[in-house]
């Protein structure tokens, strides 16, 4: 374990020395960076407040007139804090990071996750039709655009449901205690890959809609 | 320790500001009272420089004239100096980034090099060296006005400035002998100027329409913390484009050879800009362009101007909508709109922006000063005077590396709060490979070739090992200035050893050192040069004045005087373009002495006439 570079207090597992308040250029995990317990369910409003409080104390603006070492520690610790905040603030990034901490990895995005096949097929078909009509200048473009726009709406609703379900995955994990984690890991992985796939699909649809939009 | 000053280093004008108690204020020129310093630098024939209004005054003397048209300044082989405007547009550019129009305007050298260089006669200057002159002039202005030394500064940059442009700005500060404590994005700085932190919480939009660029930033504000959540913009859209539309309207129907004449174009641009300004106050203006042999006159109404400008304003609104979407906000959720840049004085802009956000934009501060004022507030934060405030800015462009097949792998997404860092693992592709090349890119496109190449780093030396065995952890860190730092560690024994990282762009440390040594001479040379220009101006003035007097009051001069006037005037005419300052000054003196009795007679006569007139008027 590391000790405070300014006052020697230690061992430290935070970006800020609790004893003298000096910023620390140490590698800590995202939860330690924000000084919160390792739980998947996070109140993001509270997280923002913590982030702001820590920023006030760590930010390089606070050390402009100080020595090189403090300035460097402030820069590195703030960079890490920012990264940690962005990771934990977003539930999807948080879930992925959680798997990473467990040494697990999400599979590649190219395989259609189970349960999404029908949706994917339908969306791809509509996009194909739009693409064709757009390139040949056929008159049905407006009608097809409306269809694809509806697709996007449906996908967003589905994405919303998955994100709500992700919060449930998180809750189950936090309540699980010391029981077998294998089924939880599998469920989390499945949820995250469905979300990733849906997001790619939404982007694809948006891209097509932009292309088809009148200049 | 000395105070920190805030500097807005603008394309057209630059300003310096400082905290005055709790409020920021712009430091005006003690002599002229002007707040704005035109960002114009004159490189004088003998090596000195002039900045601002003085540079503008010298422009006619420093233009290379050929066959009646004004040729690009700094023509090769001529050593008469040059006037450089809008140097900011060249900051951080490499030779290959130059457009054809740029090469028409100035002469550049080392076009295949990493840094654009202006060639003026035998001399060569980089954009940071020219910018440094503007910074130096601001420093001198504040030192003269306030009687304290200016050493530490905050400089603002457009939100959309990439890494190379930011580095170049920082280099300029160093070359001017300043410590650049921080680079701040212009719109972000502007948000600090209005004292909005008095709101406990809110969302702020900063709409910045400058001469040549447009920026929009969306910030959230909570208990004194300003957090940028999205930025967007267009680097090729600004008030100049509106001037250009008016100019086109004026030159419409003129033959090409007249339109293409630089002098015609320049004066038309001035008339256009002036017309645009006046239309912010008036409903209609008369545009009048004097050309050799003809006068072009047009009436322009505000309605017409607004129809012309509408598509441009619509483009800015499109950027605003994208920024709002990135911030996941609706237009009605913005609590305050701050306007920045001279072009936001246009009623059309204020109206459209107000409509989009559903509220009146704030405009109590001068839109030309608001960025500098904000920079001063940021300076106050850095001095520890404002610990209730903190600005959390973002990186405007995504940062990535080139991977197999020329695809960009994004490591840091745009709109990520800075400072931030990311660590990536690299390895070797071949046995016994001792170096790994990393190509860092900036931009949003999928393919590496469509992004801006930021730097090529060579990692190494690595101990020779089979392919894939070495593990090199490379950390990309973007600091609070938006500038990239790269650190690499080879993780072979767990102890990790530092791998040297060499950037391949911008000015090298050695080059900066050399430029500092060879700094443009600001000593006697400069004074001599100024005196020469002053003597030339005196000569021009006395010749013009005498000519006018002879025309109007010729009957008061004797024949003998007239003969001697023309003899000395001819001599002065011959020497005034030369380099011999004392000869010019001496001849001016001679002509002055010679014409004094004549001038006195004119004065007497004029007074007599005035008195006569008055006595007639005074009659009951």
């Amino acid at each position: 374990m590391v000790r405070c570079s300014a006052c020697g207090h230690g061992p430290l597992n935070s970006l800020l020395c609790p004893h003298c308040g000096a910023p620390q250029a140490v590698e800590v995990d995202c939860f330690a960076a924000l000084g919160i317990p390792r739980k998947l369910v996070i109140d993001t409003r509270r997280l923002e407040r913590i982030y702001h409080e820590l920023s006030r104390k760590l930010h390089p603006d606070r050390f402009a007139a100080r020595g090189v070492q403090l300035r460097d520690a402030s820069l590195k610790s703030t960079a890490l804090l920012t990264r940690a905040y962005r990771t934990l603030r977003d539930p999807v990034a948080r879930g992925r990071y959680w798997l990473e901490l467990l040494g697990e990895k999400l599979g590649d995005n190219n395989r259609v996750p189970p349960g999404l096949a029908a949706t994917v097929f339908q969306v791809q078909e509509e996009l194909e039709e739009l693409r064709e009509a757009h390139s040949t200048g056929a008159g049905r473009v407006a009608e097809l655009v409306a269809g694809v726009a509806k697709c996007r709406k449906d996908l967003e609703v589905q994405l919303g449901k998955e994100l709500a379900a992700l919060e449930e995955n998180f809750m189950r994990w936090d309540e699980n205690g010391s029981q077998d984690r294998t089924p939880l890991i599998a469920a989390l992985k499945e949820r995250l890959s469905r979300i990733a796939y849906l997001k790619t699909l939404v982007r694809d649809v948006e891209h097509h809609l932009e292309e088809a939009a009148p200049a | 320790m000395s105070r920190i000053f805030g500097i807005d280093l603008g394309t057209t004008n630059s300003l310096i500001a400082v905290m005055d108690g709790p409020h920021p204020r712009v430091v005006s020129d003690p002599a002229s009272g002007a707040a704005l310093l035109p960002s114009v630098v004159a490189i004088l024939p003998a090596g000195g420089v002039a900045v601002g209004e003085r540079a503008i005054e010298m422009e006619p003397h420093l233009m290379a004239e050929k066959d009646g048209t004004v040729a690009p300044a700094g023509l090769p082989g001529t050593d008469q100096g040059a006037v450089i405007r809008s140097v900011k547009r060249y900051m951080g550019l490499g030779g290959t980034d130059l457009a054809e129009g740029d090469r028409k305007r100035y002469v550049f050298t080392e076009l295949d090099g990493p840094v654009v260089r202006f060639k003026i006669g035998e001399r060569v200057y980089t954009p940071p060296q020219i910018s440094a002159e503007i910074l130096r002039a601001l420093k001198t202005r504040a030192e003269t006005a306030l009687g304290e030394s200016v050493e530490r500064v905050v400089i603002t940059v457009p939100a959309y400035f990439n890494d190379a442009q930011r580095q170049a700005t920082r280099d300029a500060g160093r070359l001017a002998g300043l410590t650049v404590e921080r680079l701040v994005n212009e719109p972000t700085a502007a948000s600090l100027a209005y004292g909005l932190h008095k709101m406990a919480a809110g969302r702020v939009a900063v709409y910045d329409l400058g001469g040549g660029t447009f920026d929009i930033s969306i910030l959230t504000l909570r208990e004194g913390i300003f957090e940028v959540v999205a930025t967007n913009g267009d680097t090729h859209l600004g008030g100049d484009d509106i001037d250009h539309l008016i100019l086109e309207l004026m030159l419409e129907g003129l033959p090409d050879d007249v339109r293409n004449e630089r002098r015609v174009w320049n004066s038309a641009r001035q008339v256009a800009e002036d017309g645009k300004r006046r239309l912010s106050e008036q409903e209609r203006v008369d545009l009048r362009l004097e050309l050799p042999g003809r006068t072009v006159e047009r009436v322009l109404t505000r309605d017409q101007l607004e129809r012309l400008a509408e598509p441009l304003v619509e483009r800015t609104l499109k950027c605003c909508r994208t920024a709002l979407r990135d911030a996941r906000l609706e237009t009605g959720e913005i609590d305050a709109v701050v306007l920045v840049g001279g072009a936001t004085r246009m009623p059309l802009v204020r109206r459209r922006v107000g409509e989009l956000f559903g509220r009146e934009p704030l405009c109590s501060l001068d839109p030309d000063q608001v960025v500098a004022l904000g920079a001063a507030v940021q300076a106050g934060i850095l001095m520890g005077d404002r610990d209730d405030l903190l600005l959390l800015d973002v990186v405007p462009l995504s940062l990535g590396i080139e991977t197999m097949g020329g695809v960009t792998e994004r490591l840091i997404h745009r709109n990520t709060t800075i400072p931030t860092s990311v660590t990536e693992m690299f390895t070797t592709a071949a046995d016994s490979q001792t170096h790994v090349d990393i190509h860092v890119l900036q931009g949003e496109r999928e393919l590496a070739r469509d992004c801006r190449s930021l730097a090529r780093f060579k990692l190494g030396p690595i101990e020779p090992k089979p392919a894939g065995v070495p593990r090199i952890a490379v950390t990309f860190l973007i600091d609070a200035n938006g500038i990239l730092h790269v650190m690499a560690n080879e993780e072979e024994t767990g102890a990790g050893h530092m791998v040297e990282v060499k950037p391949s762009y911008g000015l090298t440390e050695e080059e900066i050192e050399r430029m500092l040594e060879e700094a443009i001479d600001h000593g006697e040379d400069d004074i001599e040069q100024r005196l020469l220009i002053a003597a030339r101006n005196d000569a021009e003035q006395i010749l013009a004045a005498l000519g006018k007097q002879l025309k109007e009051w010729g009957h008061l001069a004797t024949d003998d005087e007239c003969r001697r006037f023309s003899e000395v005037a001819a001599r002065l005419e011959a020497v005034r373009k030369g380099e011999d300052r004392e000869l010019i000054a001496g001849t001016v003196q001679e002509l002055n002495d010679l014409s004094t009795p004549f001038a006195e007679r004119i004065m007497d006569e004029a007074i007599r006439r005035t008195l006569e007139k008055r006595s007639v008027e005074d009659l009951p």
Side-chain angles (χ1 to χ4, degrees):
Chain A
M1 271 296 189
V2 272
R3 309 190 76 85
C4 172
S5 53
C7 73
H9 179 85
L12 279 183
N13 187 31
S14 62
L15 297 174
L16 192 74
C17 172
H19 189 247
C20 73
Q24 306 295 318
V26 290
E27 290 293 324
V28 293
D29 71 64
C30 291
F31 295 93
L34 283 144
I36 57 172
R38 261 203 207 195
K39 295 259 182 200
L40 267 170
V41 177
I42 289 178
D43 173 357
T44 48
R45 287 200 155 259
R46 193 176 150 254
L47 190 73
E48 187 190 28
R49 273 202 301 278
I50 294 171
Y51 166 62
H52 282 169
E53 274 325 299
L54 281 167
S55 291
R56 272 185 215 279
K57 293 171 183 159
L58 294 175
H59 198 274
D61 280 7
R62 297 281 176 258
F63 297 90
R66 308 294 289 275
V68 176
Q69 206 185 1
L70 266 180
R71 288 213 310 262
D72 187 59
S74 143
L75 175 61
K76 286 178 176 154
S77 59
T78 307
L80 215 140
L81 174 73
T82 304
R83 195 127 200 111
Y85 172 60
R86 288 183 74 86
T87 305
L88 297 188
R89 181 182 60 176
D90 173 27
V92 177
R94 192 193 314 153
R96 281 169 169 270
Y97 177 68
W98 191 262
L99 289 175
E100 224 173 88
L101 284 178
L102 295 169
E104 298 281 342
K105 243 187 148 172
L106 215 55
D108 65 77
N109 280 350
N110 298 331
R111 207 167 304 132
V112 180
L116 279 184
T119 314
V120 171
F121 183 73
Q122 193 212 333
V123 172
Q124 293 297 5
E125 201 171 36
E126 295 220 19
L127 288 184
E128 177 58 33
E129 267 186 81
L130 176 61
R131 219 165 17 231
E132 212 162 278
H134 193 243
S135 65
T136 58
R140 292 180 58 225
V141 174
E143 181 191 328
L144 289 167
V145 163
V148 172
K150 189 182 172 302
C151 266
R152 178 175 64 178
K153 247 198 148 119
D154 293 346
L155 285 173
E156 272 164 3
V157 169
Q158 204 165 344
L159 190 57
K161 282 184 190 156
E162 292 289 345
L163 288 171
L166 179 65
E167 289 296 334
E168 283 170 32
N169 287 62
F170 287 174
M171 243 147 54
R172 277 204 298 281
W173 191 291
D174 285 349
E175 286 160 5
N176 185 53
S178 54
Q179 289 167 43
D180 180 21
R181 288 165 163 182
T182 324
L184 289 178
I185 291 176
L188 188 57
K189 271 190 183 176
E190 198 190 312
R191 183 79 61 210
L192 288 171
S193 44
R194 285 158 73 93
I195 290 171
Y197 205 91
L198 281 170
K199 280 193 165 173
T200 315
L201 218 50
V202 170
R203 255 202 308 275
D204 202 20
V205 168
E206 271 170 3
H207 180 71
H208 276 84
L209 284 175
E210 263 165 40
E211 293 263 290
Chain B
M1 203 179 266
S2 60
R3 288 206 283 175
I4 306 178
F5 286 73
I7 289 180
D8 173 3
L9 186 59
T11 308
T12 321
N13 292 301
S14 297
L15 300 91
I16 184 163
V18 71
M19 290 305 279
D20 187 6
H23 300 293
R25 74 174 174 97
V26 168
V27 183
S28 298
D29 184 67
S32 69
L36 304 180
L37 174 74
S39 301
V40 182
V41 178
I43 302 291
L44 305 180
V49 290
V51 181
E53 292 295 345
R54 278 183 45 222
I56 295 173
E57 279 163 25
M58 281 167 199
E59 206 163 15
H61 303 285
L62 297 177
M63 295 295 241
E65 200 143 339
K66 210 177 127 200
D67 305 332
T69 55
V70 181
L75 273 180
T78 68
D79 212 348
Q80 71 247 57
V83 171
I84 297 175
R85 288 174 176 265
S86 307
V87 64
K88 190 172 179 179
R89 293 181 44 222
Y90 302 98
M91 294 289 272
L93 296 194
T96 50
D97 300 322
L98 289 175
E100 199 186 326
D102 298 324
R103 287 200 294 269
K104 266 191 199 153
R105 198 187 294 229
Y106 300 109
V107 178
F108 295 99
T109 178
E110 288 179 53
L111 283 172
D112 50 354
V115 179
V116 157
R117 282 162 210 264
F118 296 98
K119 185 166 159 55
I120 297 156
E122 292 304 302
R123 291 164 294 159
V124 170
Y125 299 100
T126 60
Q129 280 173 296
I130 303 293
S131 288
E133 293 305 326
I134 301 170
L135 293 173
R136 206 188 292 271
L138 291 171
K139 171 180 155 86
T140 309
R141 165 188 288 194
E143 286 177 342
T144 316
L146 305 175
E148 65 181 272
S149 72
V150 177
E151 285 154 12
R152 305 162 69 204
V153 293
V154 167
I155 303 178
T156 59
V157 292
Y160 258 64
F161 252 24
N162 64 34
D163 194 76
Q165 291 166 306
R166 285 167 198 263
Q167 298 256 24
T169 306
R170 208 177 46 174
D171 291 345
R174 244 185 102 187
L175 290 170
L178 296 165
T179 305
V180 181
E181 297 285 355
R182 181 57 97 64
L183 299 177
V184 190
N185 291 333
E186 287 159 9
T188 320
S191 73
L192 290 174
Y194 269 99
L196 295 170
H197 59 279
K198 285 168 199 137
M199 297 196 282
R203 300 188 180 91
V204 184
V206 183
Y207 178 101
D208 178 358
L209 188 59
T213 59
F214 171 69
D215 276 328
I216 173 78
S217 291
I218 312 279
L219 298 96
T220 62
L221 169 60
R222 189 182 292 276
E223 284 156 20
I225 293 192
F226 287 75
E227 196 172 353
V228 181
V229 285
T231 62
N232 206 285
D234 189 329
T235 48
H236 297 286
L237 174 61
D240 295 350
D241 294 311
I242 297 171
D243 300 347
H244 204 92
L245 292 171
I246 304 175
L247 176 150
E248 285 294 327
L249 197 73
M250 268 193 302
L251 298 185
E252 206 171 42
L254 289 179
D256 276 354
D257 59 330
V258 177
R259 292 171 56 110
N260 292 341
E261 210 175 292
R262 196 178 151 95
R263 201 176 277 178
V264 170
W265 199 89
N266 267 339
S267 36
R269 195 193 55 79
Q270 240 155 38
V271 172
E273 192 193 331
D274 180 57
K276 180 187 72 176
R277 272 172 210 266
R278 284 189 292 143
L279 278 175
S280 291
E281 308 291 330
Q282 293 160 236
E283 286 297 330
R284 57 185 288 146
V285 294
D286 296 313
L287 303 176
R288 200 181 148 86
L289 178 62
E290 302 277 359
L291 297 175
R294 73 172 96 194
T295 306
V296 178
E297 279 177 289
R298 284 251 152 83
V299 174
L300 186 66
T301 65
R302 190 186 286 174
D303 271 357
Q304 281 173 307
L305 172 67
E306 297 197 341
R307 273 199 299 278
L308 283 175
E310 179 71 46
L312 293 174
V313 176
E314 183 49 45
R315 269 167 67 195
T316 67
L317 298 184
K318 196 168 170 239
C319 295
C320 295
R321 291 189 201 102
T322 310
L324 280 166
R325 202 172 61 198
D326 287 349
R328 291 180 199 160
L329 290 174
E330 299 292 325
T331 49
E333 292 181 276
I334 297 295
D335 302 297
V337 182
V338 173
L339 296 181
V340 186
T344 61
R345 287 199 178 90
M346 282 180 71
L348 172 71
V349 172
R350 296 197 167 175
R351 214 165 55 232
R352 286 281 179 277
V353 173
E355 280 165 13
L356 177 74
F357 293 105
R359 65 176 51 249
E360 274 306 299
L362 299 171
C363 46
S364 58
L365 296 177
D366 182 339
D368 284 325
Q369 299 192 0
V370 64
V371 168
L373 293 171
V377 176
Q378 176 64 31
I381 295 175
L382 293 176
M383 285 187 288
D385 296 343
R386 297 303 305 260
D387 56 8
D388 54 329
L389 294 180
L390 183 65
L391 195 62
L392 299 175
D393 218 326
V394 299
V395 49
L397 300 162
S398 297
L399 184 106
I401 48 170
E402 181 175 349
T403 58
M404 298 288 250
V407 176
T408 313
E409 185 192 338
R410 226 163 278 172
L411 297 179
I412 294 172
H413 286 258
R414 79 187 157 104
N415 290 335
T416 297
T417 310
I418 49 177
T420 191
S421 67
V422 60
T423 301
E424 277 282 301
M425 296 306 294
F426 288 86
T427 187
T428 50
D431 290 344
S432 308
Q433 193 177 329
T434 55
H435 286 92
V436 175
D437 291 315
I438 299 178
H439 188 192
V440 184
L441 306 157
Q442 201 167 26
E444 312 309 315
R445 306 287 293 275
E446 296 300 320
L447 293 179
R449 65 178 147 89
D450 296 328
C451 288
R452 188 194 158 86
S453 171
L454 195 57
R456 287 176 190 277
F457 293 106
K458 217 180 215 350
L459 295 184
I462 305 160
E463 216 166 288
K465 289 212 183 96
V469 171
R471 282 174 58 79
I472 308 151
V474 182
T475 300
F476 301 86
L477 182 141
I478 297 180
D479 67 16
N481 303 308
I483 290 178
L484 172 71
H485 304 260
V486 179
M487 294 150 281
N489 262 296
E490 194 178 346
E491 290 191 337
E492 51 153 358
T493 54
H497 94 121
M498 281 303 277
V499 179
E500 205 185 339
V501 180
K502 276 206 178 114
S504 62
Y505 66 114
L507 297 169
T508 63
E509 189 57 31
E510 292 81 41
E511 280 176 302
I512 293 179
E513 294 288 337
R514 205 176 56 231
M515 284 176 189
L516 281 170
E517 278 167 25
E518 297 170 356
I520 301 173
D521 193 354
H522 294 88
E524 285 181 352
D525 188 29
D526 190 12
I527 294 163
E528 187 53 40
Q529 200 48 225
R530 263 205 311 263
L531 292 172
L532 174 63
I533 301 269
R536 284 177 181 166
N537 287 343
D538 286 348
E540 209 171 306
Q541 259 168 31
I542 195 167
L543 285 170
L546 188 61
K548 205 170 150 222
Q549 285 168 346
L550 282 170
K551 213 165 163 188
E552 207 173 325
W553 308 90
H555 61 280
L556 296 177
T558 66
D559 288 350
D560 182 48
E561 271 178 327
C562 284
R563 211 179 45 246
R564 282 197 290 164
F565 285 162
S566 55
E567 185 264 321
V568 182
R571 258 197 292 129
L572 182 57
E573 191 63 57
V575 300
R576 78 182 173 98
K577 285 194 173 152
E579 300 286 319
D580 191 339
R581 187 205 19 117
E582 279 175 23
L583 182 61
I584 301 172
T587 319
V588 167
Q589 191 58 47
E590 193 184 334
L591 189 56
N592 192 47
D593 292 345
L594 192 64
S595 61
T596 304
F598 171 53
E600 280 168 357
R601 257 172 273 147
I602 295 175
M603 195 61 80
D604 290 345
E605 177 71 10
I607 291 169
R608 200 178 56 78
R609 284 191 194 178
T610 314
L611 289 176
E612 245 169 33
K613 206 169 151 213
R614 184 169 303 160
S615 59
V616 172
E617 279 168 1
D618 284 347
L619 287 174

